Amino acid sequence: MADEKSKDLIAKSLDSPVKALPLPVASEVGDFFSDFLYHLTGNVHLSAEKKRAQHAHDLEMFKQELAQETKSKPVECLTDPKQQVVGQALDLAKNCLSEKEIRQMFARLIANAADCRYQSVVHPSFPAIISE
């Protein structure tokens, strides 16, 4: 009986160190794969974040330019623009926001589409022409 107790005591005392033995190795392997995956995808993540930040900046610039163009119009000349022009212009502008000149052209087009003095000469094909 004493022999069995001593065997159990020995087994229990070895149990914790034996179980803990693979933990540092597993942790090192896990850290290695984590670092390896970050190395492979880290640049992709950084590039995507940079593009998101640039797009947000360009969108803010577009909003400011559109507001400036609209404010330059006399209030009595402002009217609801044709949806066919503005809808296409906004849709196509989202792909061209990084180009300052094209972004400004879209802002002027939308502002002129809302100006009753220019509404008759703003053609629905203009947004496509600008984006080309």
Side-chain angles (χ1 to χ4, degrees):
M1 188 84 130
D3 220 8
E4 276 187 40
K5 283 185 180 181
S6 61
K7 284 182 184 179
D8 285 341
L9 187 59
I10 292 172
K12 287 180 183 178
S13 65
L14 291 177
D15 194 33
S16 294
V18 170
K19 284 183 179 177
L21 185 64
L23 290 180
V25 175
S27 178
E28 287 294 321
V29 171
D31 289 346
F32 170 76
F33 281 117
S34 174
D35 292 344
F36 183 70
L37 288 174
Y38 178 76
H39 178 69
L40 291 177
T41 61
N43 289 337
V44 173
H45 177 72
L46 181 62
S47 176
E49 286 297 317
K50 185 177 176 182
K51 284 184 181 185
R52 282 188 199 102
Q54 183 64 46
H55 183 73
H57 173 266
D58 294 340
L59 183 60
E60 186 59 35
M61 293 301 297
F62 180 65
K63 287 178 185 178
Q64 290 175 7
E65 290 163 359
L66 183 57
Q68 183 179 2
E69 289 290 333
T70 306
K71 285 179 185 176
S72 70
K73 304 290 182 188
V75 177
E76 61 273 2
C77 294
L78 291 177
T79 183
D80 288 334
K82 293 179 184 176
Q83 183 62 34
Q84 189 178 12
V85 175
V86 175
Q88 286 185 52
L90 290 173
D91 190 46
L92 293 172
K94 69 182 177 190
N95 300 319
C96 305
L97 292 178
S98 61
E99 299 292 328
K100 182 180 178 181
E101 290 178 3
I102 295 175
R103 187 178 65 227
Q104 289 173 341
M105 285 185 202
F106 276 116
R108 282 192 294 269
L109 175 67
I110 293 169
N112 285 336
D115 189 333
C116 66
R117 299 172 297 175
Y118 299 102
Q119 214 170 32
S120 62
V121 295
V122 175
H123 194 271
S125 65
F126 288 174
I129 292 170
I130 293 172
S131 69
E132 295 295 320

